[in-house]
Coordinates of all heavy atoms in Angstrom, one line a residue:
F255 N 0.9 -1.2 0.0 CA 0.0 0.0 0.0 C 0.9 1.2 -0.1 O 1.8 1.4 0.9 CB -0.9 0.0 1.2 CG -1.8 1.2 1.3 CD1 -2.9 1.3 0.5 CD2 -1.5 2.3 2.2 CE1 -3.7 2.4 0.5 CE2 -2.3 3.4 2.2 CZ -3.4 3.5 1.4
A256 N 0.7 2.1 -1.0 CA 1.6 3.3 -1.1 C 0.8 4.5 -1.2 O -0.2 4.7 -2.0 CB 2.4 3.2 -2.3
L257 N 1.0 5.5 -0.3 CA 0.5 6.8 -0.5 C 1.3 7.8 -1.3 O 2.5 7.6 -1.5 CB 0.3 7.5 1.0 CG -0.6 6.8 1.9 CD1 -0.5 7.3 3.3 CD2 -2.0 7.0 1.5
T258 N 0.7 8.8 -1.8 CA 1.5 9.9 -2.4 C 2.2 10.7 -1.3 O 1.8 10.6 -0.1 CB 0.6 10.9 -3.3 OG1 -0.3 11.5 -2.4 CG2 -0.2 10.1 -4.3
K259 N 3.2 11.5 -1.7 CA 3.9 12.3 -0.7 C 3.0 13.3 0.0 O 3.0 13.5 1.3 CB 5.0 13.1 -1.4 CG 6.2 12.3 -1.8 CD 7.3 13.1 -2.4 CE 8.5 12.2 -2.8 NZ 9.6 13.1 -3.3
E260 N 2.0 13.9 -0.7 CA 1.0 14.8 -0.1 C 0.2 14.1 0.9 O -0.1 14.6 2.0 CB 0.2 15.4 -1.2 CG -0.8 16.4 -0.6 CD -1.7 17.1 -1.7 OE1 -1.3 16.8 -3.0 OE2 -2.6 17.8 -1.4
E261 N -0.4 12.9 0.6 CA -1.2 12.0 1.4 C -0.4 11.7 2.7 O -0.9 11.6 3.8 CB -1.8 10.8 0.7 CG -2.8 11.2 -0.3 CD -3.4 10.0 -1.0 OE1 -2.4 9.1 -1.4 OE2 -4.5 9.8 -1.3
E262 N 0.9 11.3 2.5 CA 1.8 10.9 3.6 C 1.9 12.0 4.6 O 1.8 11.8 5.9 CB 3.0 10.4 3.1 CG 3.9 9.7 4.1 CD 5.3 9.2 3.6 OE1 5.5 9.3 2.4 OE2 6.0 8.7 4.3
V263 N 2.1 13.3 4.1 CA 2.2 14.3 5.1 C 1.0 14.6 5.8 O 1.0 14.9 7.0 CB 2.7 15.6 4.2 CG1 2.5 16.9 5.1 CG2 4.0 15.4 3.6
K264 N -0.2 14.5 5.2 CA -1.5 14.7 5.8 C -1.7 13.7 6.9 O -2.2 13.9 8.0 CB -2.6 14.7 4.8 CG -2.8 15.9 3.9 CD -4.0 15.8 3.0 CE -4.1 17.0 2.2 NZ -5.4 16.9 1.2
A265 N -1.4 12.4 6.6 CA -1.5 11.3 7.5 C -0.6 11.6 8.8 O -1.1 11.3 9.9 CB -1.2 10.0 6.9
K266 N 0.5 12.0 8.6 CA 1.5 12.2 9.7 C 1.0 13.4 10.6 O 1.0 13.4 11.8 CB 2.9 12.6 9.2 CG 3.7 11.3 8.7 CD 5.0 11.8 8.2 CE 5.8 10.5 7.7 NZ 7.2 10.9 7.2
D267 N 0.4 14.5 9.9 CA -0.2 15.6 10.6 C -1.4 15.2 11.5 O -1.6 15.6 12.6 CB -0.6 16.7 9.6 CG 0.6 17.4 9.1 OD1 1.6 17.3 9.6 OD2 0.4 18.1 8.0
K268 N -2.2 14.2 10.9 CA -3.4 13.8 11.6 C -3.0 12.9 12.9 O -3.6 13.0 13.9 CB -4.3 12.9 10.7 CG -5.5 12.5 11.3 CD -6.4 11.8 10.3 CE -6.9 12.7 9.2 NZ -7.9 12.0 8.4
E269 N -1.9 12.1 12.7 CA -1.4 11.3 13.8 C -0.9 12.2 14.9 O -1.1 12.0 16.1 CB -0.3 10.4 13.3 CG -0.9 9.2 12.6 CD -1.7 8.3 13.4 OE1 -1.5 8.1 14.6 OE2 -2.7 7.7 12.8
L270 N -0.3 13.4 14.5 CA 0.3 14.3 15.5 C -0.8 15.0 16.3 O -0.7 15.1 17.5 CB 1.2 15.4 14.7 CG 1.8 16.4 15.7 CD1 2.8 15.8 16.6 CD2 2.6 17.5 14.8
D271 N -1.8 15.4 15.6 CA -3.0 16.0 16.3 C -3.6 15.1 17.3 O -4.0 15.4 18.4 CB -4.1 16.4 15.3 CG -3.6 17.5 14.4 OD1 -2.8 18.3 14.8 OD2 -4.2 17.8 13.3
K272 N -3.8 13.7 16.9 CA -4.3 12.7 17.8 C -3.4 12.6 19.0 O -4.0 12.4 20.1 CB -4.4 11.4 17.0 CG -5.0 10.2 17.8 CD -5.1 9.0 17.0 CE -5.7 7.8 17.8 NZ -5.7 6.6 16.9
T273 N -2.1 12.6 18.9 CA -1.1 12.4 19.9 C -1.2 13.6 20.9 O -1.3 13.4 22.1 CB 0.3 12.3 19.4 OG1 0.4 11.2 18.6 CG2 1.3 12.1 20.7
M274 N -1.5 14.8 20.4 CA -1.5 16.0 21.2 C -2.9 15.9 22.1 O -2.8 16.4 23.2 CB -1.6 17.3 20.3 CG -0.2 17.6 19.7 SD -0.3 18.9 18.5 CE -0.6 20.2 19.6
I275 N -4.0 15.4 21.5 CA -5.2 15.3 22.2 C -5.1 14.4 23.4 O -5.5 14.7 24.5 CB -6.4 14.9 21.3 CG1 -6.7 16.1 20.3 CG2 -7.6 14.5 22.0 CD1 -7.5 15.6 19.1
L276 N -4.4 13.2 23.1 CA -4.3 12.2 24.1 C -3.3 12.7 25.2 O -3.5 12.5 26.4 CB -3.6 11.0 23.5 CG -4.5 10.2 22.7 CD1 -3.8 9.0 22.0 CD2 -5.8 9.5 23.4
D277 N -2.3 13.6 24.8 CA -1.4 14.0 25.8 C -2.1 15.1 26.7 O -1.8 15.2 27.9 CB -0.1 14.8 25.1 CG 0.8 13.7 24.5 OD1 0.7 12.5 24.9 OD2 1.6 14.1 23.7
T278 N -3.1 15.9 26.1 CA -3.7 16.8 27.0 C -4.6 16.2 27.9 O -4.7 16.6 29.1 CB -4.7 17.7 26.0 OG1 -3.8 18.3 25.0 CG2 -5.5 18.7 26.8
V279 N -5.3 15.0 27.5 CA -6.1 14.3 28.5 C -5.3 13.7 29.7 O -5.6 13.8 30.8 CB -6.8 13.1 27.8 CG1 -7.5 12.2 28.8 CG2 -7.8 13.7 26.8
K280 N -4.1 13.2 29.3 CA -3.2 12.6 30.3 C -2.6 13.7 31.2 O -2.6 13.5 32.4 CB -2.0 12.0 29.6 CG -2.4 10.7 28.9 CD -1.1 10.0 28.2 CE -1.5 8.8 27.5 NZ -0.3 8.2 26.8
H281 N -2.5 14.9 30.7 CA -2.0 15.9 31.5 C -3.0 16.4 32.6 O -2.7 16.7 33.7 CB -1.6 17.2 30.6 CG -1.1 18.4 31.3 ND1 0.1 18.4 32.0 CD2 -1.6 19.6 31.5 CE1 0.3 19.5 32.6 NE2 -0.6 20.3 32.3
K282 N -4.2 16.4 32.1 CA -5.3 16.8 33.1 C -5.5 15.8 34.2 O -5.7 16.1 35.4 CB -6.7 17.0 32.2 CG -6.8 18.2 31.4 CD -8.1 18.2 30.7 CE -8.2 19.5 29.8 NZ -9.4 19.5 29.1
D283 N -5.4 14.5 33.8 CA -5.4 13.6 34.8 C -4.3 13.6 35.8 O -4.4 13.5 37.0 CB -5.3 12.1 34.2 CG -6.6 11.8 33.4 OD1 -7.7 12.4 33.7 OD2 -6.6 10.8 32.6
L284 N -3.0 13.9 35.3 CA -1.8 14.1 36.2 C -2.0 15.2 37.2 O -1.8 15.2 38.4 CB -0.6 14.3 35.3 CG 0.7 14.5 36.1 CD1 0.9 13.2 37.0 CD2 1.9 14.7 35.1
L285 N -2.6 16.4 36.7 CA -2.8 17.6 37.5 C -3.8 17.3 38.6 O -3.7 17.6 39.8 CB -3.3 18.7 36.7 CG -2.2 19.4 35.7 CD1 -2.9 20.5 34.9 CD2 -1.1 19.9 36.6
A286 N -4.9 16.5 38.3 CA -5.9 16.1 39.3 C -5.3 15.2 40.4 O -5.6 15.4 41.5 CB -7.1 15.4 38.6
K287 N -4.5 14.2 39.9 CA -3.9 13.4 40.9 C -2.9 14.1 41.8 O -2.8 13.8 43.0 CB -3.2 12.3 40.2 CG -4.1 11.2 39.5 CD -3.3 10.1 38.7 CE -4.2 9.1 38.0 NZ -3.5 8.2 37.3
Q288 N -2.1 15.1 41.2 CA -1.2 15.8 42.1 C -2.0 16.7 43.1 O -1.6 16.8 44.2 CB -0.3 16.7 41.2 CG 0.7 16.0 40.4 CD 1.5 16.8 39.4 OE1 1.1 18.0 39.1 NE2 2.6 16.4 39.0
A289 N -3.1 17.3 42.7 CA -4.0 18.1 43.5 C -4.5 17.3 44.7 O -4.5 17.7 45.9 CB -5.1 18.8 42.8
E290 N -4.9 16.0 44.4 CA -5.5 15.0 45.4 C -4.3 14.8 46.5 O -4.6 14.7 47.7 CB -6.0 13.9 44.8 CG -7.3 14.0 44.0 CD -7.7 12.8 43.4 OE1 -7.0 11.7 43.4 OE2 -8.8 12.8 42.7
K291 N -3.1 14.6 46.0 CA -2.0 14.2 46.9 C -1.7 15.4 47.9 O -1.3 15.2 49.0 CB -0.8 13.9 46.1 CG -0.8 12.5 45.5 CD 0.4 12.2 44.7 CE 0.3 10.8 44.1 NZ 1.5 10.5 43.3
R292 N -1.9 16.6 47.4 CA -1.6 17.8 48.2 C -2.8 18.2 49.1 O -2.7 19.2 49.9 CB -1.2 19.0 47.3 CG 0.1 18.7 46.5 CD 0.2 19.8 45.5 NE 1.4 19.6 44.7 CZ 1.7 20.3 43.6 NH1 0.9 21.2 43.2 NH2 2.7 19.9 42.8
G293 N -3.8 17.4 49.0 CA -5.0 17.7 49.8 C -5.8 18.9 49.3 O -6.6 19.5 50.0
M294 N -5.6 19.3 48.0 CA -6.3 20.3 47.4 C -7.7 19.9 47.0 O -7.9 18.6 46.6 CB -5.6 20.9 46.2 CG -4.2 21.6 46.6 SD -3.3 21.9 45.3 CE -4.3 23.2 44.4
E295 N -8.7 20.7 46.9 CA -9.9 20.3 46.4 C -10.0 20.4 45.0 O -9.6 21.4 44.3 CB -11.0 21.3 46.9 CG -12.5 21.0 46.6 CD -13.5 21.9 47.1 OE1 -13.1 22.8 48.0 OE2 -14.7 21.8 46.7
V296 N -10.4 19.3 44.3 CA -10.4 19.2 42.9 C -11.8 19.6 42.4 O -12.7 19.1 42.9 CB -10.1 17.8 42.4 CG1 -10.1 17.7 40.9 CG2 -8.8 17.3 42.9
P297 N -11.9 20.6 41.6 CA -13.2 21.0 41.1 C -13.9 19.9 40.4 O -13.4 19.2 39.5 CB -12.9 22.1 40.0 CG -11.5 22.5 40.1 CD -10.8 21.4 40.9
T298 N -15.1 19.7 40.8 CA -15.9 18.6 40.1 C -17.0 19.2 39.2 O -17.5 20.3 39.5 CB -16.7 17.8 41.2 OG1 -17.5 18.6 42.0 CG2 -15.6 17.1 42.1
Q299 N -17.3 18.5 38.1 CA -18.2 19.0 37.2 C -19.5 18.2 37.4 O -19.5 17.1 38.0 CB -17.7 18.7 35.7 CG -16.6 19.6 35.3 CD -16.1 19.3 33.9 OE1 -16.4 18.4 33.3 NE2 -15.5 20.3 33.4
K300 N -20.6 18.8 37.0 CA -21.9 18.0 37.1 C -21.8 16.9 36.2 O -21.3 16.9 35.1 CB -23.0 19.0 36.7 CG -23.4 20.0 37.7 CD -24.6 20.8 37.3 CE -25.0 21.9 38.4 NZ -26.1 22.6 38.0
E301 N -22.3 15.7 36.7 CA -22.2 14.5 35.9 C -23.3 14.6 34.7 O -24.4 15.1 34.9 CB -22.6 13.3 36.7 CG -22.5 12.0 36.0 CD -22.9 10.8 36.9 OE1 -23.5 11.1 38.0 OE2 -22.7 9.7 36.5

């Protein structure tokens, strides 16, 4: 299976965007865990 150079660049950009979204989610989880360890109140959202 072979992509054109243009399609290959688009595919790499899409994978980068996906990685950035996942990293943002992980970062939020990490901040929440750190706040819990310090005894800080973690803001809760309505379910």
Side-chain angles (χ1 to χ4, degrees):
F255 179 75
L257 293 171
T258 62
K259 287 185 177 179
E260 183 180 352
E261 287 176 319
E262 190 179 357
V263 169
K264 284 184 179 179
K266 287 181 179 179
D267 287 344
K268 187 175 288 187
E269 287 295 326
L270 180 61
D271 290 342
K272 182 178 178 182
T273 301
M274 289 175 67
I275 291 170
L276 290 174
D277 286 345
T278 300
V279 172
K280 290 178 181 177
H281 181 64
K282 287 180 178 179
D283 287 344
L284 180 60
L285 289 177
K287 289 177 181 177
Q288 288 176 343
E290 287 176 359
K291 286 180 180 179
R292 294 171 186 168
M294 297 170 61
E295 184 179 348
V296 180
T298 58
Q299 295 181 336
K300 288 185 176 181
E301 185 180 12

